[in-house]
Amino acid sequence: MAMAIRQPGWYRGAIGMVLGAAFGFGLVIALRAISGLELFQTEQTGYPHVIVPLITAPFGFLFGFGAFDYWFRWAAGKPTIPDDHSAHGAYRWQDYFKFNTDHKVIGIQYVVTTLCFFLIGGVLALLIRAELAQPGEQIVAANTYNGLFSTHAIVMIFLFIIPIFAGLANYVLPLMIGAPDMAFPRLNALSFWLLPIAGIVFLGSFLAPGGAFDAGWTGYAPLSTGAPLGQSFFNVGVQFAGASSIATALNFLVTIITMRAPGMNPWRMPLLVWANLSTSLLVVGATPFVAGAQFMVLFDRILGMNFFQFLEGGDVISYQHIFWFYSHPAVYIMMLPGFGIISEVISTHSRKPVFGYRLMALALIGIVVLSYSVWAHHMFVAGMFSWLRVPMMITTMLIAVPTGIKIFSWLGTLFYGKIHLYSTSMLFSLAFIITFVVGGISGVMLGMIPIDIHVSDTYFIVAHIHFVLFGGSVFTIFAGIYHWFPKMTGRMYDERLGRIHFWGTVVGTWMAFVPMHWIGMDGMPRRVADYASVYGDWNLFISVSAFLLGAVQLIFIYNMIVSWRFGPKAGNNPWRAHSIEWQVSSPPPVFNFDEIPRVVGGPYEYGTPGARHAIMGGETAPEELPEPEPATVTSPS
Amino acid sequence: MTRLPILKLALASLAAGTVISVLMLQIDWFGDAAATAAGPIDLLMDVTIVVSSYIFALVCVALGYALIKWRVQPGDEGDGLPIHGNTKLEVIWTVIPIIIVVALAGYSWAVLDDIENEDADRITVNVYSQQFAWTFGYPESGNKWSEGELHVPLDRQVDFQLHAQDVIHSFWVPEWRIKKDNVPGITTDAIVTPDEAGTYQLICTELCGAGHSTMRATVVVEPEAEYQKWVNGLSQNVPESLLLTADQALEIEKQIQEKEDGIEGTGVDET
Ligand code: HEM
Ligand SMILES: [Cu+2]
Ligand SMILES: [Cu+2]
């Protein structure tokens, strides 16, 4: 027992958490006593004796859990415990509950954790739809309702979509570029463990007096600065989720820049790598802004500052500028990794190189640059300086161009290919193309100021964001999970269940979200617990569809769990793909490669006899193959 | 390599796009219209729907054709043709979308200028919002005040000055197609020319707390004479408590003055 307590792990973590909480609590009480204030401040925006422990307890847990052991020894000049790699690989299920530094274990930890949050967010969504099934108050009161949609959005965005992409890339990206691990494995593990912490903080707000945070995922001031305690949980949770995101992005950047296998020049990187490079550039540039905005709100709330207090000279609209300067790039943080997945899947299953590979990579970079210059399209009716609207309308609409290039290039990839439809990942990729086009079109409409003036903050927005986030991001996530499931688990999932899940999801998505366009334009505002009875029929239809959509996700979960345990062995390369991760065993060996592979050609050389992307260690290395002519066919006509 | 039936594909896309646009235009997207801004905005929307329908049709036709034509026979383990790209085609599908979006942006800009064009004889109405109620001040009629019910004259441009006392609210009458946030600490404005008499609903569209979904007010558009009669019948003036800053008080004073001096008077009396 005494031994267990000294070892990093759950026991020491629990003790660390208690000590951390006690330290934070004691600090507040001591400082208040010294300052002659009453010890407990329980104004609704106050509660420092809750907020400070909310920050220190997670750090205490991480110390105890072993997240900082190595760095502390190193900083203290003590001999660091040489890494015997006992923290690599997972041999029993318990190994997934350790501070594990293996990128493949971390990848699976991410995917499983975020899928749990997907289910939680989904249940919250169904509660929302149950309330909206009929006009009038059904199951929850209005302020509880506001808490439901706020937590739903935050869980889906910060705990599902953004981190699951980080998880999938964590698993496959080092393999794809021929690296033995991420550049900073300990930082990688720390990034992961910040995520469940963020989740507990967000969901813990349901226990706060006054209920969960309820100012929307956007948390506009001054509604948020005056809201009950739960809002502070939001402010703190965003810090943990944001730190996780930023650390992972730094890790990806360094990994991609410095750890590519010999021969993998940028123009030989698979598009998934390009996509994560672009995403990481967005995360490191933009995420600090949302963290800053939430700190400002937190300081307004508990330190009595006045960043956004209009009666004391604060500027209300500046919150929105800072928030959207992050949150527009954030929508592409939620989309670009998906673009990468789609490129891999479509090329593999149509047995053809990605059409216009270089332009595809450049389009990603174009989106990164443009996304920093469009944030105010969320503020066309917010009362900001009016001259900014037209320039932002033009940049917003231009961002549809690189997005369109990607759509056309995927279609071009299909032409003259050999299209296999047996894999669920391919089905989701094709459905993604169609669904995402609709979301892109509604996006362009929203970019047009006169239309936005009418439909901003209505159900039309809800329709747009679900077409791009469910029909866009989530479809690509499903495609990615089905595609790499055999690699991650070594087993095959059930394609028949996959198909049922696919059709149910596609039909459910269209049925649930298409009518929202109409009722929004016709006059139903968003974020309302009750609505005019003329919208009753459509809302009932939407709610029924949403429950259908929710139900088919259970098939997916069942398929994943049962196939992971009992599925047939998948083999190394069931899709006969060329990229490096498919050339190693499934699941890959603990250190990925016995010998680092040598990259000799592009990643998608399907159809060129003898063409190789990489020569694996142990193979006799032939001469470097000549790079195939980029445009062998001048015109398809 | 077989040649693509470009002409057939193009015709199929055109046909499908036409069918989709016709179907889409059947839907009465925006519902009733009751202000001059509605015409140009609805037209802009219809044009965008038609353009989008053709784009959507093109994508569907291309995808459908590829699936029919190049879906593998069972057992075929071969690869597709090693086509890496086609510079001409890539330039085309970069440049044409640029032209389309720039054209739509230009059109939108023109519509924006049109709907925000200010008439010389516009009247001013102050809109005060607080959790969870709307009240209205009529500075040109002696700063009279009404609660929960807004009256405006028919066919006369109204410049709504929007104020918020606590958190952000948003002023939206769907039939007018115009929306603008009420932001605490500053005054924003919305320009509307109602052209259909009737009773409408003013809806708060910015989340403002527990009562957000019920934060509504009635809007009555009526001929000028009836409007004047109604305003004159109001008994109370805007309470001091609604004027958060000295600037707001000054502004209202200025509007009253202007009314007395005739248009473009000197404003606040400085002597
Ligand atoms: C062609 C590309 C796109 C364009 C032109 C576009 C445009 C817009 C515009 C103008 C708005 C603001 C509407 C308003 O609040 O009045 C908006 C909202 C939004 N968009 Fe997009 N969008 C695009 C793609 C995407 C993608 C790919 C995602 C995410 C995967 C996304 C997620 C969102 C979200 C979450 C909101 C709502 C934010 C909120 O108010 O809560 N959009 N979009
Ligand atoms: Cu945006
Ligand atoms: Cu409201």
Side-chain angles (χ1 to χ4, degrees):
Chain A
M1 188 67 201
M3 187 61 191
I5 289 172
R6 254 176 294 137
Q7 288 289 317
W10 286 98
Y11 288 117
R12 219 182 69 174
I15 295 172
M17 188 170 81
V18 173
L19 291 180
F23 170 74
F25 186 81
L27 187 69
V28 170
I29 300 298
L31 287 178
R32 290 188 73 89
I34 294 169
S35 326
L37 299 167
E38 44 176 316
L39 296 188
F40 298 100
Q41 198 269 58
T42 53
E43 269 169 39
Q44 65 170 5
T45 63
Y47 287 100
H49 54 283
V50 174
I51 298 310
V52 174
L54 196 63
I55 299 167
T56 54
F59 278 102
F61 166 77
L62 290 171
F63 287 135
F65 199 55
F68 300 107
D69 279 22
Y70 183 94
W71 291 324
F72 276 173
R73 289 181 158 270
W74 177 81
K78 286 203 222 157
T80 50
I81 300 171
D83 206 335
D84 64 352
H85 305 297
S86 60
H88 252 63
Y91 306 95
R92 302 166 303 152
W93 64 267
Q94 287 94 332
D95 291 341
Y96 287 104
F97 291 84
K98 287 188 180 146
F99 192 78
N100 202 312
T101 54
D102 180 347
H103 76 95
K104 298 184 290 303
V105 177
I106 295 173
I108 288 180
Q109 287 175 325
Y110 261 111
V111 172
V112 173
T113 312
T114 49
L115 284 177
C116 292
F117 285 121
F118 177 48
L119 289 186
I120 295 174
V123 169
L124 293 167
L126 295 184
L127 286 173
I128 296 172
R129 282 321 314 178
E131 170 61 40
L132 291 179
Q134 291 292 302
E137 197 177 294
Q138 319 292 317
I139 56 169
V140 293
N143 54 346
T144 317
Y145 179 84
N146 291 354
L148 285 181
F149 68 70
S150 304
T151 45
H152 158 72
I154 280 293
V155 166
M156 288 300 195
I157 290 173
F158 281 117
L159 302 175
F160 171 53
I161 294 185
I162 294 177
I164 199 171
F165 280 130
L168 285 169
N170 232 300
Y171 199 101
V172 297
L173 191 140
L175 288 162
M176 270 187 165
I177 62 171
D181 203 322
M182 295 280 278
F184 307 118
R186 277 177 283 270
L187 183 66
N188 199 17
L190 177 62
S191 309
F192 165 72
W193 284 99
L194 288 171
L195 200 69
I197 291 174
I200 291 168
V201 172
F202 284 135
L203 295 173
S205 74
F206 274 105
L207 304 176
F213 54 88
D214 59 1
W217 80 280
T218 46
Y220 277 11
L223 184 61
S224 54
T225 53
L229 178 60
Q231 192 67 34
S232 299
F233 282 60
F234 172 92
N235 303 142
V236 172
V238 169
Q239 307 304 332
F240 284 109
S244 161
S245 221
I246 294 170
T248 308
L250 284 170
N251 221 337
F252 278 135
L253 286 178
V254 178
T255 308
I256 295 169
I257 293 168
T258 65
M259 293 180 64
R260 298 190 313 275
M264 181 170 283
N265 64 42
W267 298 119
R268 286 175 176 173
M269 295 193 316
L271 283 169
L272 184 94
V273 179
W274 273 104
N276 278 284
L277 178 72
S278 319
T279 307
S280 303
L281 288 172
L282 286 173
V283 172
V284 295
T287 310
F289 284 83
V290 76
Q294 298 317 318
F295 269 132
M296 290 159 96
V297 170
L298 189 67
F299 293 166
D300 270 13
R301 291 169 57 80
I302 60 177
L303 301 181
M305 295 193 178
N306 47 18
F307 290 109
F308 310 120
Q309 306 308 308
F310 61 100
L311 287 176
E312 278 120 275
D315 180 5
V316 169
I317 289 189
S318 63
Y319 175 86
Q320 297 173 32
H321 281 295
I322 308 171
F323 180 84
W324 289 114
F325 196 77
Y326 161 72
S327 287
H328 182 80
V331 309
Y332 280 97
I333 292 170
M334 294 185 260
M335 201 58 255
L336 298 189
F339 286 174
I341 292 173
I342 297 301
S343 296
E344 301 302 321
V345 173
I346 289 193
S347 155
T348 308
H349 289 283
S350 48
R351 317 299 308 157
K352 246 192 88 217
V354 171
F355 195 94
Y357 165 88
R358 291 193 183 209
L359 190 60
M360 286 290 257
L362 292 176
L364 288 167
I365 301 298
I367 291 176
V368 170
V369 174
L370 276 175
S371 16
Y372 282 108
S373 64
V374 301
W375 77 91
H377 64 211
H378 296 272
M379 302 167 62
F380 285 152
V381 299
M384 61 162 189
F385 6 87
S386 47
W387 66 265
L388 190 57
R389 295 176 303 171
V390 170
M392 288 268 165
M393 163 168 75
I394 294 169
T395 50
T396 298
M397 297 185 66
L398 283 177
I399 216 169
V401 174
T403 314
I405 290 174
K406 303 203 72 83
I407 300 276
F408 296 130
S409 300
W410 288 318
L411 291 173
T413 308
L414 294 172
F415 276 58
Y416 298 103
K418 299 242 170 166
I419 304 172
H420 294 268
L421 291 182
Y422 57 81
S423 144
T424 309
S425 58
M426 183 64 166
L427 296 179
F428 268 111
S429 304
L430 299 179
F432 158 81
I433 294 182
I434 300 287
T435 316
F436 187 72
V437 166
V438 176
I441 287 173
S442 61
V444 171
M445 290 177 174
L446 291 173
M448 300 163 67
I449 304 166
I451 295 181
D452 186 69
I453 289 177
H454 178 57
V455 297
S456 182
D457 270 315
T458 68
Y459 256 77
F460 191 88
I461 304 292
V462 184
H464 165 68
I465 69 187
H466 286 92
F467 257 83
V468 288
L469 286 172
F470 209 115
S473 313
V474 179
F475 280 19
T476 67
I477 288 167
F478 286 140
I481 292 178
Y482 283 114
H483 190 63
W484 282 293
F485 183 87
K487 182 52 61 185
M488 294 174 152
T489 62
R491 294 182 183 269
M492 212 55 192
Y493 60 89
D494 184 336
E495 294 283 9
R496 207 173 51 88
L497 290 180
R499 265 161 208 275
I500 299 176
H501 172 227
F502 166 75
W503 284 111
T505 304
V506 172
V507 173
T509 304
W510 279 70
M511 283 181 15
F513 302 124
V514 164
M516 291 184 181
H517 292 100
W518 302 331
I519 56 177
M521 287 209 167
D522 202 38
M524 179 164 160
R526 74 192 276 208
R527 293 175 168 167
V528 288
D530 188 8
Y531 50 85
S533 48
V534 287
Y535 306 120
D537 292 345
W538 274 124
N539 273 291
L540 183 62
F541 179 82
I542 292 169
S543 290
V544 171
S545 312
F547 274 86
L548 170 86
L549 185 56
V552 291
Q553 305 316 315
L554 299 179
I555 300 175
F556 165 70
I557 300 291
Y558 171 85
N559 193 1
M560 292 295 110
I561 294 175
V562 172
S563 305
W564 193 353
R565 189 92 178 75
F566 303 109
K569 288 262 186 293
N572 294 355
N573 194 356
W575 316 129
R576 299 183 295 126
H578 284 196
S579 48
I580 298 176
E581 82 274 24
W582 296 105
Q583 314 311 321
V584 295
S585 64
S586 302
V590 175
F591 293 103
N592 296 355
F593 310 101
D594 302 328
E595 207 178 298
I596 296 299
R598 226 158 45 77
V599 177
V600 293
Y604 311 112
E605 298 306 337
Y606 301 100
T608 309
R612 297 282 300 273
H613 174 46
I615 311 283
M616 304 305 288
E619 284 182 78
T620 46
E623 303 282 289
E624 172 122 349
L625 293 161
E627 188 140 354
E629 227 17 63
T632 43
V633 176
T634 35
S635 164
S637 55
Chain B
M1 192 170 74
T2 48
R3 290 175 67 88
L4 281 182
I6 300 265
L7 190 66
K8 277 190 199 155
L9 287 179
L11 286 178
S13 307
L14 276 179
T18 311
V19 171
I20 298 176
S21 349
V22 169
L23 286 178
M24 295 287 279
L25 291 180
Q26 298 308 311
I27 300 172
D28 179 16
W29 287 91
F30 283 161
D32 298 340
T36 51
I41 294 182
D42 293 5
L43 182 64
L44 176 66
M45 183 70 198
D46 286 343
V47 170
T48 315
I49 287 177
V50 170
V51 174
S52 310
S53 300
Y54 284 102
I55 295 172
F56 182 70
L58 179 72
V59 171
C60 291
V61 166
L63 182 65
Y65 181 75
L67 287 185
I68 293 167
K69 182 92 205 252
W70 290 293
R71 184 163 178 191
V72 288
Q73 307 299 319
D76 183 349
E77 300 271 274
D79 283 348
L81 292 183
I83 306 169
H84 286 79
N86 178 324
T87 312
K88 210 166 48 175
L89 206 55
E90 288 166 38
V91 169
I92 290 176
W93 69 43
T94 309
V95 172
I96 292 184
I98 292 182
I99 296 172
I100 294 177
V101 297
V102 169
L104 284 176
Y107 181 17
S108 305
W109 192 358
V111 172
L112 182 69
D113 273 352
D114 180 16
I115 62 179
E116 292 191 342
N117 194 17
E118 296 183 354
D119 288 354
D121 70 341
R122 65 183 184 279
I123 63 162
T124 302
V125 173
N126 280 303
V127 177
Y128 303 96
S129 56
Q130 55 195 302
Q131 288 169 327
F132 301 97
W134 296 100
T135 50
F136 309 93
Y138 304 86
E140 288 157 25
S141 307
N143 214 18
K144 286 287 193 312
W145 191 56
S146 69
E147 283 177 274
E149 190 169 321
L150 165 68
H151 282 237
V152 286
L154 184 63
D155 291 328
R156 179 89 181 268
Q157 193 174 68
V158 189
D159 182 355
F160 291 103
Q161 301 283 314
L162 309 175
H163 315 273
Q165 317 303 123
D166 36 37
V167 300
I168 305 174
H169 302 275
S170 193
F171 173 92
W172 185 42
V173 179
E175 290 82 359
W176 289 350
R177 310 285 187 268
I178 297 292
K179 172 183 303 116
K180 188 60 92 52
D181 283 4
N182 298 44
V183 182
I186 59 173
T187 304
T188 55
D189 70 333
I191 299 220
V192 181
T193 314
D195 63 359
E196 214 31 77
T199 306
Y200 308 96
Q201 205 172 34
L202 166 58
I203 300 174
C204 175
T205 46
E206 186 66 61
L207 177 64
C208 56
H212 169 56
S213 28
T214 53
M215 186 168 162
R216 306 277 165 101
T218 307
V219 179
V220 177
V221 181
E222 58 200 358
E224 182 101 33
E226 283 172 45
Y227 163 75
Q228 280 305 342
K229 213 170 105 204
W230 181 83
V231 176
N232 293 336
L234 290 174
S235 53
Q236 283 176 307
N237 279 7
V238 174
E240 282 290 316
S241 63
L242 279 183
L243 308 177
L244 289 171
T245 60
D247 279 358
Q248 282 178 15
L250 217 60
E251 185 63 28
I252 286 173
E253 201 176 316
K254 182 175 150 198
Q255 284 160 1
I256 296 173
Q257 193 73 33
E258 268 177 18
K259 185 78 184 169
E260 281 166 10
D261 296 356
I263 306 296
E264 306 301 326
T266 51
V268 186
D269 189 354
E270 278 162 23
T271 50

